[in-house]
Amino acid sequence: MANSNNWGEIYKSTWWGDKAWSANTLFIDSAPPGFGLNLLKASEDMNITRDWSQWLISVAANSTDEAAPNATDTAEKLTFTDAPQSRIQQQIALEANTTYTFSVYAKVRTGTQNFRLRNVTLGQAQQFTADTSWGLNPDDGRYSFSFTTGATAITHTLSIQNAAAAGTGEIFFWGAMLNEGATAGDYVKTEASVGGSAPAPAYSGFGDAFGGVTAYYSLRQFTEAETLNAIRVRRSSDDTEQDIGFDSNGDLDTTALLAFVGTGGTDNGFVTTFYDQSGNGNNATNSTDSEQPLIVSSGSLTQLNSKAAINGDGADDVLSLSTGLNLSSGYSIFQVVQIPSANTYGITISSTDVSNFSRTMMFGSFIKFSADGTNYDNYGGGGNKGAQNLWSSVVDGSGNLDTNRNGSAYGSTITSVTGTFELDIIGTNIGVNSFEFFQELIVFNSDQSSNLGTVTTGGGTGIEGNINTYFDIV
Amino acid sequence: MSWYIGTLEEVEAYNEKVNEAKAYKGSITSNWANPRQHPDGSKWAIAANNSIEPQEESSLIFTESLSEDWTPEIEL
């Protein structure tokens, strides 16, 4: 337990926990309890996954490439993938209302490389730039990030994480430490746990499993390792707007949403922005009131299959990407969407160009995938309208298009899909026949056919299984 | 969704009236609706705001929904 005195402060003991306590004895507070302790495990063994769980990263233990700052040991080499959520992390139970400092030694071989120290639980992080030097005497190349816990003692997740702007890169790390206090204490080595396995993260999203995502629009959280918003909402009562994020389960924060919009019969909430959670910042917005889809209707959350769903009017409701995506030479598009049964067809994504257009159009018994104005039909069974479906459209580097509906092949492979798919709009590009519900759109500018996995009832593996596990489509 | 049908000038004037009345306060929303042209080019439509009438001198025609001929033909 920490006391509230400042270091070096003379204070009168009133606390039985003080050593040699007696009432009104004077003490000099040399350091708070806990100072000098390293609360992390495996401080020099970041490859030990029962202590440090790994997310979209590779860790080379005791890399012979680099001596540690103590010039005796070897350091660990962390190779970040091109994703801001690339990281290793550890969970630690911490006291309430207490300041801690998270520190680590870091070095690169040449140039500089950014990385972050993060308290995932608090959503706080600090970015640093590692350079080519480190050492203990004098202390060099050590980076520290301080944070203060909240009113409740809980388990916190701390990460050594890629820079916010992502990019790939190698950084050597050594001597991770968490100590109580507002500054990093003298480094103390700690050993790895004996036995057991790393505890499950508080929430694991799509972005924690799959890297290389070009754009991610969803009402579920991409990763726990970033502070993210799902949507920006305009409320009907006064046309003000507010960002809405996620709850601790990675679901849309419907408590905050309904508190903002209201729960009365005339309270509606409209989506002005569908945030790109991938880290690429390619948000989809609509500045036009009458074309904004709903997320709250008459005071209630709009839902599809018991999950929050953006509710379009099936006519002209759309959201436009800030920067169009030009997809070619292998790309993959995943959509959890429903088109209205009353319409002949529904356009779920499209280009601004209506001549050499790109679109996915769902009809009653087939879908039409058009890359650049040329139609590539893909026929299959009925049931495309008025139902929640996961559509996977994967074009490989040779221009072969394969479509899956809910994890099963839909029609046969279509060849010669060589045009560039220009994805500018979530919804229609002709002012009619837009979507009814949209829950998730994931775009890779790469062929993901080897990562599709399988879909089983209530779950599955790979990309499609991950989507089905959350949305429970099958 | 209900609509007003008229000339481009009339639907733009209606849109401006709604924008002034709404005086959007958010950082994203700034416009009520986008005028929509009939495929034959002869007339325009704009989404009706149930709380705001057109100007008195306007000859906009109110309709509960747009007829099928407003839907552009697409190659199937």
Side-chain angles (χ1 to χ4, degrees), chain B residues 41-55:
Chain B
S42 64
K43 52 196 170 186
W44 292 78
I46 195 161
N49 183 300
N50 294 333
S51 304
I52 302 171
E53 299 282 328
Q55 295 90 330

Side-chain angles (χ1 to χ4, degrees), chain A residues 232 234 238-239 241 272-273 287-292 313 316 345 361 363 368 431-432, chain B residues 1 3 22 24-34 36 47 71-72 74-76:
Chain A
R232 186 169 181 80
R234 175 180 60 83
D238 62 0
D239 290 315
E241 297 171 5
T272 69
T273 304
S287 62
T288 297
D289 179 325
S290 65
E291 297 175 359
Q292 294 167 345
D313 62 359
D316 60 358
Y345 61 88
M361 303 173 67
F363 293 75
K368 185 181 291 291
V432 296
Chain B
M1 180 190 294
W3 299 80
K22 298 275 281 186
Y24 294 106
K25 304 164 192 70
S27 61
I28 303 294
T29 311
S30 59
N31 180 47
W32 161 243
N34 291 316
R36 183 168 151 194
T71 301
I74 62 166
E75 184 183 337
L76 299 180

Side-chain angles (χ1 to χ4, degrees), chain B residues 5-12 42-44 60:
Chain B
I5 298 172
T7 65
L8 177 61
E9 291 72 24
E10 287 171 326
V11 298
E12 285 181 336
S42 64
K43 52 196 170 186
W44 292 78
L60 287 172

